[in-house]
Amino acid sequence: MEVIATAGHVDHGKSTLVRALTGMEPDRWEEERRRGLTIDLGFAWTTLPSGRVVAVVDVPGHERFVGNMLAGVGPVPAALVVVAADDGWSAQTAEHVAVLDALGVRHALLAVTKADLADPAPVLADATERLAATSMGAVPGVAVSAPTGRGVPELAAALETLLAGLPAPDPAAPVRLWIDRAFPIRGAGTVVTGTLAAGTVAAGDRLLLGGREVGVRGVQSLGRPVDRASATARVALNLRGVAVEDLSRGDALLTPGAFRSTAEVDVVLAREPEDQLPAEAVLHVGSAAVPVRVRPLEGAAVRLRLAGPLPLRVGDRVLLRDPGARRVLGADVRDVAPPELRRRGAARQRAAELDGQDTGPAGAAADLARRRVVRADDFTAMGWPVPDDAVRAGPWLLAPGLVDELARRVPGLVAAHRQAHPLEPGPPVALVRRELDLPADDLVGLVVRTPLALRGGRVVVAAAGLPPAVQRAVDAVRARLAGNPFAAPDAEELRAARLGPRELAAAVRDGQLVRVAEGVYLAPGVEEQARARLLAVPQPFTLSQARSAWGTSRRVAVPLMEWLDARGVTEKLPDATRRLR
């Protein structure tokens, strides 16, 4: 299926032409049919002679309903511009064409209607010339008289040619269905309709709607139930888990995790404005319309603050409408998570970045270089392709060259920390992360290189050791323990050796002493030595028997036995005796 939207001045025969082409009544409201005035969006479809199916979104032509017109053309890839032979190019024709031009529509067909009432040739020539100056370029034109049927077959043939030239949509792309209608159906529940511009939707799918998950109970396309629908298509979805009162035109159904809702975006206008931009405008995208505050940066670069968040992506074409001046401006979204602008000259610098940045691989590389580190799913949800040379680390993407750059800084951080804290083997990982402005501790391991290492939650020099004076004191304690492994020095002996709490903690971190309890320090390997001596004691044994086997004091034996209990070497029995496990 292909989808096309009408455009043109009120009373130029858009709805009549749609009826003649499709045999369907596009006006849905009784008031529209009674007044002969399209007020809201209408929908019809037909099968062309080739078998190609085309759906038509018929939009209102009156200036009071331009917002409805924008909701209809926003998601649609091609337009049918209608101009009446007896009236010619009119004010609303110009406004609708300006909308199509601002949206960057490149595929269009011109229909000069009411050819039975006036010579269509002058209007055909004039409209073709005017359209040539827009994004649509050279537009084929057909003269038509809907009441008599003159030109309708030629219009159908021209539609065939137009639709055959449309770019193929991606059926595997994430779904972003902008809702243009929501209504209840008795026995079915909530139904929404929209133009599926990309992706595929099927019964049973789970989609996000304003941050909540809803289920797709059923899918219809062109009035018939289908198992699934792929872009481009007009679809109606029966939703589970949401009331119709909670929905409105402009809401979007999204593939979970594929889009980022944002209330601040940087855009580049399709054309640098000739007049001063308004401070406030209305942003149109898809079927949504949201008030925005406009902050010009420089040239065509603009920052927009949205009154409410929208699921936007880099590369989206949006339209800014100044209702007071009846002016529309097209803009390309360049950043959906823009940086703060605090420093003098930041706006000018940002404008230069945006002006030189495209929305393809080169732009993705530039954006990643600016962000340095970002979650991969966030980056793709922004609309960027992942650069081939990006560094992947778990859920993170790092800019090329960043790991080497940060690795060169780490030795200096470790040296500075050890100078300020000589008894610590190196800075904690969290401190290094903060100094390097990394978002997660896990990333520190990427930038630690020999002779540095990660040990005990710190970045250390692998062979750094203890300060010389502390090392000599620890060596003396270890020499004593080598002869008697359970003769832990007492508090007075430790003070005499100038081994205070900080020095002892450093020796424990360095693996040179084992802290059994407060004030009780023994040499590494004491666990195996204690167990070996207890093997010679009858099981179960008392604390007194263990103390004798170890040849030590009660000051050491009591905490050592509890330490062995805690480590699962020994087991305390109900009668206060113990046995080896």
Side-chain angles (χ1 to χ4, degrees):
M1 182 200 312
E2 308 291 350
V3 182
I4 190 169
T6 63
H9 192 77
V10 64
D11 288 336
H12 278 206
K14 295 186 298 299
S15 299
T16 303
L17 182 61
V18 171
R19 281 192 291 270
L21 182 67
T22 67
M24 297 180 66
E25 172 58 66
D27 288 336
R28 296 179 291 111
W29 297 3
E30 188 277 332
E31 181 186 358
E32 292 179 306
R33 293 190 289 272
R34 177 173 51 81
R35 295 173 58 187
L37 174 68
T38 299
I39 297 172
D40 203 355
L41 302 178
F43 308 97
W45 56 87
T46 190
T47 301
L48 297 173
S50 68
R52 187 189 300 272
V53 177
V54 58
V56 183
V57 180
D58 187 33
V59 305
H62 198 284
E63 61 180 333
R64 286 186 295 150
F65 307 121
V66 68
N68 291 345
M69 178 266 181
L70 283 161
V73 301
V76 176
L80 175 61
V81 180
V82 178
V83 184
D86 63 342
D87 195 17
W89 193 273
S90 303
Q92 206 61 36
T93 312
E95 186 166 3
H96 279 205
V97 168
V99 165
L100 298 175
D101 185 37
L103 289 173
V105 174
R106 298 188 179 278
H107 305 275
L109 176 63
L110 170 64
V112 176
T113 57
K114 305 187 181 181
D116 55 324
L117 302 181
D119 181 5
V123 173
L124 191 61
D126 177 60
T128 301
E129 183 179 353
R130 292 175 186 267
L131 291 172
T134 71
S135 62
M136 291 165 277
V139 174
V142 180
V144 184
S145 169
T148 67
R150 172 188 166 189
V152 174
E154 289 79 4
L155 179 66
L159 268 177
E160 295 270 21
T161 303
L162 173 70
L163 300 177
L166 292 180
D170 181 3
V175 169
R176 179 175 53 179
L177 180 70
W178 297 101
I179 295 172
D180 51 41
R181 282 195 301 160
F183 50 90
I185 292 183
R186 181 171 298 184
T190 299
V191 174
V192 299
T193 67
T195 299
L196 184 64
T200 299
V201 64
D205 283 354
R206 306 292 294 179
L207 299 173
L208 287 183
L209 177 69
R212 63 190 286 192
E213 195 172 85
V214 298
V216 178
R217 180 181 293 167
V219 181
Q220 283 197 1
S221 184
L222 306 186
R224 297 190 306 273
V226 294
D227 292 333
R228 62 182 56 242
S230 295
T232 304
R234 284 292 304 173
V235 296
L237 306 183
N238 181 201
L239 300 182
R240 179 186 293 111
V242 61
V244 71
E245 294 80 12
D246 297 332
L247 296 168
S248 60
R249 175 174 289 173
D251 290 339
L253 289 165
L254 310 169
T255 296
F259 294 87
R260 177 192 177 101
S261 288
T262 179
E264 187 172 59
V265 295
D266 282 348
V267 303
V268 174
L269 300 175
R271 297 185 183 90
E272 194 165 331
E274 298 177 1
D275 302 322
Q276 184 176 354
L277 291 174
E280 297 182 350
V282 180
L283 181 146
H284 294 266
V285 59
S287 61
V290 174
V292 295
R293 294 191 62 83
V294 180
R295 177 183 177 180
L297 301 178
E298 188 173 83
V302 178
R303 175 159 294 184
L304 304 175
R305 295 186 186 276
L306 285 61
L310 287 176
L312 298 177
R313 273 188 154 197
V314 170
D316 283 344
R317 171 59 70 95
V318 300
L319 185 143
L320 293 177
R321 183 167 64 97
D322 180 1
R326 295 184 65 177
R327 177 168 55 145
V328 291
L329 298 167
D332 293 317
V333 175
R334 297 289 176 87
D335 197 339
V336 296
E340 294 183 353
L341 302 175
R342 292 181 174 177
R343 303 187 312 275
R344 181 184 295 274
R348 183 180 297 107
Q349 178 183 346
R350 182 63 179 149
E353 292 172 351
L354 295 169
D355 185 58
Q357 177 176 303
D358 64 24
T359 57
D367 192 76
L368 181 57
R370 180 177 63 80
R371 297 183 192 279
R372 295 164 60 88
V373 186
V374 65
R375 287 189 177 274
D377 53 0
D378 283 348
F379 195 69
T380 54
M382 293 177 196
W384 290 118
V386 176
D388 293 337
D389 54 355
V391 177
R392 289 183 177 269
W396 301 98
L397 289 179
L398 289 82
L402 179 62
V403 172
D404 290 340
E405 173 194 329
L406 297 181
R408 289 192 290 269
R409 292 178 53 192
V410 177
L413 295 176
V414 174
H417 189 86
R418 282 182 57 79
Q419 185 174 5
H421 309 278
L423 292 177
E424 295 184 12
V429 166
L431 188 149
V432 175
R433 173 184 61 78
R434 289 194 299 271
E435 290 292 328
L436 298 180
D437 196 24
L438 291 171
D441 288 354
D442 292 347
L443 293 172
V444 172
L446 291 176
V447 299
V448 174
R449 296 175 179 174
T450 307
L452 302 180
L454 289 176
R455 184 182 299 158
R458 293 176 179 268
V459 181
V460 303
V461 179
L466 300 172
V470 177
Q471 186 64 61
R472 287 192 294 272
V474 171
D475 287 345
V477 171
R478 289 180 57 123
R480 169 180 171 174
L481 293 173
N484 187 351
F486 305 100
D490 59 24
E492 185 176 343
E493 291 170 321
L494 292 172
R495 280 195 300 272
R498 297 191 175 182
L499 290 175
R502 294 177 59 209
E503 289 79 10
L504 290 166
V508 171
R509 283 195 301 268
D510 204 46
Q512 298 194 46
L513 290 177
V514 174
R515 183 183 183 277
V516 172
E518 180 67 31
V520 179
Y521 294 86
L522 299 173
V526 67
E527 178 182 324
E528 293 77 12
Q529 292 172 316
R531 181 182 179 86
R533 294 200 185 185
L534 291 175
L535 284 171
V537 177
Q539 307 288 313
F541 54 84
T542 64
L543 176 63
S544 178
Q545 290 173 309
R547 183 171 66 82
S548 297
W550 294 332
T552 189
S553 65
R554 185 177 178 82
R555 178 184 72 85
V556 175
V558 171
L560 177 58
M561 182 59 72
E562 292 173 350
W563 185 73
L564 292 171
D565 288 345
R567 297 172 72 86
V569 176
T570 55
E571 178 184 15
K572 188 173 183 180
L573 302 176
D575 62 355
T577 61
R578 286 176 170 82
R579 65 184 177 196
L580 288 171
R581 286 184 182 270

